[in-house]
Amino acid sequence: AQSVSQHNHHVILSEAASLELGCNYSYGGTVNLFWYVQYPGQHLQLLLKYFSGDPLVKGIKGFEAEFIKSKFSFNLRKPSVQWSDTAEYFCAVVGSGNTGKLIFGQGTTLQVKP
Amino acid sequence: EAGVAQSPRYKIIEKRQSVAFWCNPISGHATLYWYQQILGQGPKLLIQFQNNGVVDDSQLPKDRFSAERLKGVDSTLKIQPAKLEDSAVYLCASKDSGANVLTFGAGSRLTVL
């Protein structure tokens, strides 16, 4: 069955610390991968996506993610977090055809202390 | 461009009552999704429409949930009768046929007492 697993449920960091959120997926076939972010009181927004090509993708606000096909992973990173990065982060996967359903992980709550 | 519109934003009902949520996708987006997001979990797909046809409703509890998209534009999701475990945020999303990126609405938060 298709699934997405996020390693950390709740992460607490101080400002300027580095961030890495783990994501592993189970899916038979070629995939498109996403990280969505949900800031407090706001709707889900796309942070970055991987469709093909360079496995290191850059998104908004200094975030990046690396697709490692052999490990079925798509970890999210940021070298130096800010208080404004406090949010919930969701990893998601869909088959590369356009009719597949987007499957989400359970989410990671990031709290950045000023 | 305007985003995905959803209403109401908040709804409180008692168990066994009914409730309906409305979604208007981004203009021209053929594919529309309803997701259920229970507190502390990731969104779970309930139903996917392509124009006015259902593509996937395998995880929709059909004994109490129904959804329609009669004219292939806006959509309604209904719950009747509601149970306590239906308390969640109901998210609507849409995407263009040529893309594989979903745009989400703000969601409708349901509390069942």
Side-chain angles (χ1 to χ4, degrees), chain B residues 2-77:
Chain B
V4 176
Q6 289 190 246
S7 68
R9 288 294 313 275
Y10 304 93
K11 188 75 176 179
I12 301 174
I13 62 173
E14 295 189 349
K15 60 183 179 183
R16 290 189 288 274
Q17 287 186 324
S18 63
V19 63
F21 302 112
W22 174 82
C23 171
N24 192 25
I26 291 174
S27 178
H29 280 194
T31 311
L32 184 148
Y33 308 78
W34 282 102
Y35 280 82
Q36 179 192 56
Q37 186 177 13
I38 293 172
L39 186 65
Q41 300 180 21
K44 183 186 83 171
L45 180 68
L46 292 175
I47 188 166
Q48 176 183 346
F49 291 95
Q50 181 73 18
N51 296 309
N52 61 349
V54 174
V55 173
D56 187 337
D57 63 356
S58 57
Q59 297 197 78
L60 187 73
K62 299 181 187 62
D63 57 334
R64 298 182 301 104
F65 286 64
S66 64
E68 60 184 15
R69 194 185 183 200
L70 294 176
K71 297 182 179 179
V73 181
D74 57 347
S75 175
T76 56
L77 175 71

Side-chain angles (χ1 to χ4, degrees), chain A residues 74-94:
Chain A
F74 190 56
N75 293 353
L76 180 71
R77 299 195 292 251
K78 186 171 184 179
S80 176
V81 295
Q82 301 173 318
W83 176 79
S84 58
D85 294 324
T86 295
E88 193 155 15
Y89 293 81
F90 294 94
C91 181
V93 63
V94 65

Side-chain angles (χ1 to χ4, degrees), chain A residues 6 21 23 34-36 46-48 65 74 76 89-91:
Chain A
Q6 293 182 234
L21 301 182
C23 172
F34 306 82
W35 277 95
Y36 279 84
L46 182 66
L47 199 55
L48 50 77
F74 190 56
L76 180 71
Y89 293 81
F90 294 94
C91 181

